[in-house]
Amino acid sequence: NAGVTQTPKFRVLKTGQSMTLLCAQDMNHEYMYWYRQDPGMGLRLIHYSVGEGTTAKGEVPDGYNVSRLKKQNFLLGLESAAPSQTSVYFCASSYRDRGDTEAFFGQGTRLTVV
Amino acid sequence: GESVGLHLPTLSVQEGDNSIINCAYSNSASDYFIWYKQESGKGPQFIIDIRSNMDKRQGQRVTVLLNKTVKHLSLQIAATQPGDSAVYFCAENRTGRRALTFGSGTRLQVQP
């Protein structure tokens, strides 16, 4: 049981390049999330999904797009990378979110935009 | 605005001592709280949670205390070990809300 798996683990991009981060979970969770983590700060929600085919904006969605074509996968796209998007990105999933369930996190993707 | 914050950014304790990590929240509607542990280079890992209808909850070597009157949450770690060195985050949610809101984290350093 792998839990939440993120690929890639590390990536360096040039400003203006695009890329997609992949998140896969094998726990049959309904909800999936993308967070970013910057030094000295907690995790901030970028986008989330409450089920296959649905997505919604979080706290810091600008510059990112997401897709949830399959229940087990949640993709985060950067259309035109900027240095401000240098961060560690975490994917998470939860069975459902009535407001009282924990989220399970992946290991993170460290992205540097130069 | 609403926020979940921590009193101290770094806490240094001696091995074997008890550790107390504090967290304040501002929204009285928050009714679910989680503590996560994040080791270097890893994702956050669930430690313990508590619902607002409780004041205290215990796990293995950890205790979470919730004071709704002053909107304060604490994580107590008994007999702190070197493996407890990590960043600890509190997070909160409330019924009907879609995702957790995280505090900025406290780094726990365990001195041998």
Side-chain angles (χ1 to χ4, degrees):
Chain A
N1 190 337
V4 180
T5 303
Q6 293 181 231
T7 54
K9 289 184 172 53
F10 302 94
R11 185 71 186 267
V12 178
L13 283 180
K14 293 182 179 179
T15 298
Q17 286 185 318
S18 63
M19 77 163 294
T20 300
L21 283 67
L22 173 63
C23 177
Q25 54 94 3
D26 60 3
M27 297 173 281
N28 200 33
H29 284 169
E30 302 280 341
Y31 285 54
M32 296 187 74
Y33 314 87
W34 277 106
Y35 288 88
R36 62 177 287 172
Q37 184 176 35
D38 300 302
M41 300 182 71
L43 286 82
R44 292 185 291 168
L45 183 66
I46 305 172
H47 285 280
Y48 64 95
S49 168
V50 301
E52 181 179 324
T54 72
T55 62
K57 294 180 180 180
E59 181 186 358
V60 288
D62 293 342
Y64 306 95
N65 58 74
V66 288
S67 63
R68 183 101 179 268
L69 299 179
K70 294 182 179 181
K71 184 177 183 179
Q72 64 268 33
N73 296 335
F74 195 28
L75 280 63
L76 177 70
L78 284 72
E79 298 170 339
S80 179
S84 62
Q85 294 178 303
T86 293
S87 188
V88 181
Y89 292 85
F90 288 99
C91 176
S93 69
S94 64
Y95 175 54
R96 61 187 180 277
D97 195 347
R98 304 168 302 183
D100 64 351
T101 51
E102 67 182 281
F104 295 83
F105 283 82
Q107 295 289 73
T109 295
R110 183 173 296 275
L111 176 65
T112 301
V113 182
V114 298
Chain B
E2 60 186 66
S3 66
V4 179
L6 294 164
H7 294 309
L8 298 173
T10 304
L11 177 65
S12 185
V13 299
Q14 293 293 123
E15 182 178 355
D17 287 352
N18 297 334
S19 302
I20 300 176
I21 301 171
N22 296 304
C23 179
Y25 64 96
S26 60
N27 195 319
S28 58
S30 299
D31 56 12
Y32 178 62
F33 305 88
I34 299 181
W35 281 101
Y36 280 93
K37 173 186 180 183
Q38 186 178 24
E39 296 175 285
S40 181
K42 297 184 178 180
Q45 182 179 13
F46 172 87
I47 302 174
I48 192 168
D49 61 0
I50 188 168
R51 290 168 175 73
S52 59
N53 60 353
M54 303 173 69
D55 297 323
K56 178 180 180 179
R57 192 170 187 210
Q58 289 184 295
Q60 187 176 13
R61 283 200 308 118
V62 295
T63 300
V64 56
L65 298 178
L66 176 62
N67 186 329
K68 294 179 287 294
T69 301
V70 296
K71 299 188 186 66
H72 184 267
L73 188 71
S74 68
L75 176 70
Q76 300 179 1
I77 304 174
T80 311
Q81 303 169 359
D84 294 327
S85 292
V87 176
Y88 290 81
F89 293 95
C90 65
E92 63 87 15
N93 208 347
R94 64 198 74 116
T95 302
R97 196 154 167 265
R98 301 296 192 178
L100 296 165
T101 297
F102 284 82
S104 56
T106 291
R107 182 174 300 280
L108 177 65
Q109 297 176 335
V110 182
Q111 307 297 329

